[in-house]
Amino acid sequence: MKMRCKKARKYVSLAMDKRLEPGADQALGDHLHACPLCRAWQQKQFWLQELVQAPPAIAPDQRFHAGVMERIAASSRPARFFVFSPACFRPAVLRAALVLLLVFSAALGFFLGGPLLDPAPDSQATAFNQTLNLDAFADLPGNSFGAVYDRLLQGELQ
Amino acid sequence: MSRERDDLQRIALAAAGDRRAFAELVTRHQSWVLQLAYRYTRDRQDAEELAQEIFFKAWRHARSFRGESAFATWLYRLAVNSCLNHRQGKKTRPDPQPLAGNLPAGGEAGQAGDDLVAAEREARLRHALASLPARQRVALALASFEDKSYEEIAVAMEVSVAAVESLLFRARRNLAAILLPLKKKGEL
């Protein structure tokens, strides 16, 4: 049974890691012999394997170890509740703070503010009298204009 | 006392908050952790950040270590998992530009030119590897650079051996799709 190209290419990948079973190895060899495209594919994979080598070894320095321990130490410190930093002045933060202030003010007004009512009738008369200050005419002569006007206001004269 | 048993004692102390015990574990294992991170990222700065992240996670999750395996095995799995979750795009690097092409050929450029060509090729390679999906990239790094068997990779990545085969095949196919056009253009 002939091997399909897709399977052959999977086998090429396995063969590169020496994971191909002996029987499959023979089948792959037969397919590669007959299929120039898969043979080219195999050559490209060998080229890639040559190209993609492990990078050279690196060694950690003192700074690396100190960095790890500093990070651990920093995570153990208690977090401050509020940190004053330039982040406080970022537009998004300012906008959010403004919205919160508006919502808070509206809530405060809703719960603490009383309804707007008309003043009571008594207080209306008091306010009217205070405005006119009718008592100012009390010591005027009885036939003076002020006294007549006062009596007129009190409803004594028709 | 064997080193493995000493590791177990130290991680138990670290779980209780002993930073000195953990510092000793960092000293012992930092070389291979950094090397693994470097083989994955192929960039020293990225590798150091990733390796520090791995040790920080080990410190934070020290209490979850139950001693069912060696500390190094547990740390290795943690490292592989961190590679899978690592986002290299935090500082996006521009595509590598052909710098060496502007140099005069021959003696004057000399060694510096060769170094630049090698650096340029490495940058292209790093870029191509970085564009692979994380799982394919980790599988390729473990198989090709760490010489791990498929079974070891499957355990470390918590997948089946068949999945490892598939990941490696797709990684090689995708890498070929990225790098072969560059080869044709003479950029590799």
Side-chain angles (χ1 to χ4, degrees):
Chain A
M1 189 178 175
K2 286 181 79 176
M3 185 186 284
R4 296 175 76 90
C5 288
K6 190 176 177 185
K7 191 169 186 179
R9 290 175 188 193
K10 278 189 178 176
Y11 278 11
V12 167
S13 176
L14 289 171
M16 287 167 70
D17 295 325
K18 299 179 178 63
R19 295 280 304 185
L20 207 55
E21 304 284 330
D25 194 19
Q26 182 61 45
L28 175 64
D30 292 346
H31 180 87
L32 291 175
H33 186 71
C35 178
L37 288 177
C38 286
R39 225 170 26 244
W41 168 264
Q42 189 190 35
Q43 290 305 313
K44 285 169 187 170
Q45 288 300 321
F46 285 151
W47 172 77
L48 268 180
Q49 199 174 29
E50 284 279 311
L51 183 73
V52 187
Q53 295 287 338
I58 57 166
D61 50 20
Q62 284 294 320
R63 194 172 44 83
F64 174 78
H65 190 282
V68 174
M69 297 317 295
E70 170 56 32
R71 194 166 170 190
I72 287 169
S75 74
S76 306
R77 287 183 207 124
R80 280 189 285 170
F81 178 69
F82 178 74
V83 181
F84 188 77
S85 72
C88 299
F89 300 108
R90 284 180 190 155
V93 176
L94 281 176
R95 273 188 218 121
L98 196 63
V99 167
L100 274 176
L101 187 68
L102 284 172
V103 169
F104 180 72
S105 307
L108 208 64
F110 181 78
F111 289 112
L112 297 183
L116 292 173
L117 297 173
D118 290 335
D122 286 350
S123 61
Q124 257 182 341
T126 308
F128 180 73
N129 289 343
Q130 281 172 353
T131 308
L132 288 177
N133 195 11
L134 295 178
D135 293 339
F137 302 113
D139 54 350
L140 291 174
N143 58 353
S144 69
F145 172 76
V148 171
Y149 185 65
D150 183 31
R151 288 207 307 253
L152 187 65
L153 286 175
Q154 299 293 334
E156 291 174 16
L157 299 176
Q158 296 297 320
Chain B
M1 185 187 295
S2 74
R3 187 171 159 151
E4 207 170 287
R5 189 173 286 182
D6 191 53
D7 276 357
L8 291 177
Q9 283 192 352
R10 286 184 192 278
I11 191 65
L13 288 169
D18 188 339
R19 275 188 238 158
R20 287 177 65 185
F22 192 76
E24 179 58 29
L25 288 172
V26 175
T27 306
R28 279 184 191 174
H29 298 277
Q30 60 182 354
S31 287
W32 70 259
V33 171
L34 181 63
Q35 200 60 39
L36 174 68
Y38 185 54
R39 283 175 174 172
Y40 178 72
T41 61
R42 295 182 88 96
D43 178 272
R44 173 140 199 157
Q45 196 184 336
D46 271 345
E48 285 188 352
E49 281 174 19
L50 178 56
Q52 285 192 356
E53 179 71 25
I54 290 164
F55 280 116
F56 184 63
K57 279 185 186 168
W59 165 259
R60 283 181 59 194
H61 297 108
R63 284 184 191 174
S64 70
F65 178 70
R66 296 184 193 133
E68 291 162 356
S69 61
F71 170 72
T73 309
W74 179 75
L75 187 60
Y76 188 79
R77 279 189 205 169
L78 191 69
V80 168
N81 205 34
S82 299
C83 287
L84 285 170
N85 294 320
H86 181 62
R87 292 281 172 272
Q88 212 159 2
K90 279 178 193 166
K91 41 173 187 172
T92 49
R93 292 191 175 86
D95 289 358
Q97 298 298 314
L99 300 170
N102 300 330
L103 286 174
E108 274 186 34
Q111 185 62 37
D114 291 345
D115 289 350
L116 203 55
V117 170
E120 188 186 309
R121 193 167 65 174
E122 177 60 26
R124 289 188 194 290
L125 205 55
R126 187 171 57 230
H127 196 255
L129 285 165
S131 64
L132 292 179
R135 293 162 68 80
Q136 292 176 22
R137 194 171 160 201
V138 168
L140 191 67
L142 296 181
S144 302
F145 312 145
E146 295 275 312
D147 288 328
K148 296 289 179 191
S149 70
Y150 282 21
E151 285 76 14
E152 287 171 317
I153 298 170
V155 169
M157 292 181 71
E158 296 176 350
V159 294
S160 66
V161 172
V164 173
E165 287 177 6
S166 177
L167 283 170
L168 283 169
F169 170 68
R170 282 185 280 144
R172 286 172 173 141
R173 188 189 59 193
N174 291 339
L175 208 53
I178 299 166
L179 293 174
L180 286 172
L182 296 177
K183 188 192 178 197
K184 281 181 188 166
K185 282 196 266 178
E187 292 179 5
L188 273 176

